[in-house]
Amino acid sequence: MANNSPALTGNSQPQHQAAAAAAQQQQQCGGGGGATKPAVSGKQGNVLPLWGNEKTMNLNPMILTNILSSPYFKVQLYELKTYHEVVDEIYFKVTHVEPWEKGSRKTAGQTGMCGGVRGVGTGGIVSTAFCLLYKLFTLKLTRKQVMGLITHTDSPYIRALGFMYIRYTQPPTDLWDWFESFLDDEELSTL
């Protein structure tokens, strides 16, 4: 096991503390003569922050279990390695953005709180859209890639999965900034 303590590596501070101190010093000193730029944070940089659970993408446990055990996810989507391949798959395969394939859930006989409620009770065949949504999550999309999804002109389903990605992965305080300019979008209101 490697020991990366500051004393053994020759550094007096761990790297993240040294970087933070350097950034703070640069801001205080004026950044080398020009106007200082505020530190790039979260969604303003190309690297997106991840809100919530880093493994489950904040998905319902039953939906996630069905995604991970789905032959479509384990075999076909495993082959896709790039953002562009996944976007092409969305274009050709997604026909709705519900979590379950139509007619695959048995809700007959359920009463009370579970009767007919999506994501509660018994599972079914998880939809292609949700498998692809989780595949996008495994790619750890950048801000530029997410913007590419939500402004895509070829398919409303590509855009819808982009908005779902934002909803499941971004901090709640940032959602309005992402969604505001799309609230009157007529293409998405028809889904």
Side-chain angles (χ1 to χ4, degrees):
M1 178 188 299
N3 187 344
N4 293 325
S5 70
L8 296 178
T9 59
N11 297 332
S12 60
Q13 297 177 302
Q15 278 185 327
H16 69 279
Q17 288 177 343
Q24 185 178 16
Q25 182 179 10
Q26 184 177 5
Q27 281 184 337
Q28 290 172 348
C29 295
T36 61
K37 291 182 180 179
V40 176
S41 66
K43 72 177 192 63
Q44 297 306 315
N46 203 29
V47 176
L48 289 173
L50 181 62
W51 179 82
N53 191 307
E54 294 182 12
K55 290 186 169 81
T56 68
M57 196 182 108
N58 306 310
L59 287 170
N60 173 293
M62 185 178 295
I63 292 173
L64 181 61
T65 299
N66 279 279
I67 290 170
L68 296 175
S69 63
S70 162
Y72 176 65
F73 182 79
K74 291 192 305 187
V75 178
Q76 291 168 277
L77 294 185
Y78 180 78
E79 301 291 323
L80 305 181
K81 302 296 184 197
T82 69
Y83 163 80
H84 295 289
E85 289 174 326
V86 175
V87 170
D88 287 345
E89 186 78 0
I90 295 167
Y91 180 81
F92 289 110
K93 300 286 183 172
V94 175
T95 58
H96 65 87
V97 290
E98 295 288 331
W100 306 108
E101 290 298 339
K102 186 174 182 159
S104 69
R105 293 189 62 239
K106 306 274 189 282
T107 57
Q110 291 183 348
T111 59
M113 298 290 288
C114 293
V117 177
R118 286 179 280 183
V120 178
T122 60
I125 298 170
V126 72
S127 71
T128 302
F130 269 73
C131 288
L132 285 158
L133 178 64
Y134 193 74
K135 178 63 179 187
L136 289 170
F137 175 71
T138 65
L139 296 176
K140 305 294 184 221
L141 299 183
T142 64
R143 177 177 174 77
K144 182 178 178 183
Q145 289 170 326
V146 172
M147 289 300 295
L149 290 173
I150 65 177
T151 59
H152 209 282
T153 57
D154 291 344
S155 167
Y157 297 113
I158 295 171
R159 297 181 68 206
L161 284 177
F163 285 111
M164 289 169 61
Y165 183 88
I166 293 167
R167 171 59 186 87
Y168 279 103
T169 65
Q170 295 305 288
T173 55
D174 293 347
L175 294 181
W176 179 255
D177 294 335
W178 281 102
F179 295 154
E180 180 181 20
S181 61
F182 296 95
L183 291 178
D184 292 328
D185 191 310
E186 292 189 19
E187 182 179 44
L188 292 174
S189 67
T190 62
L191 291 178

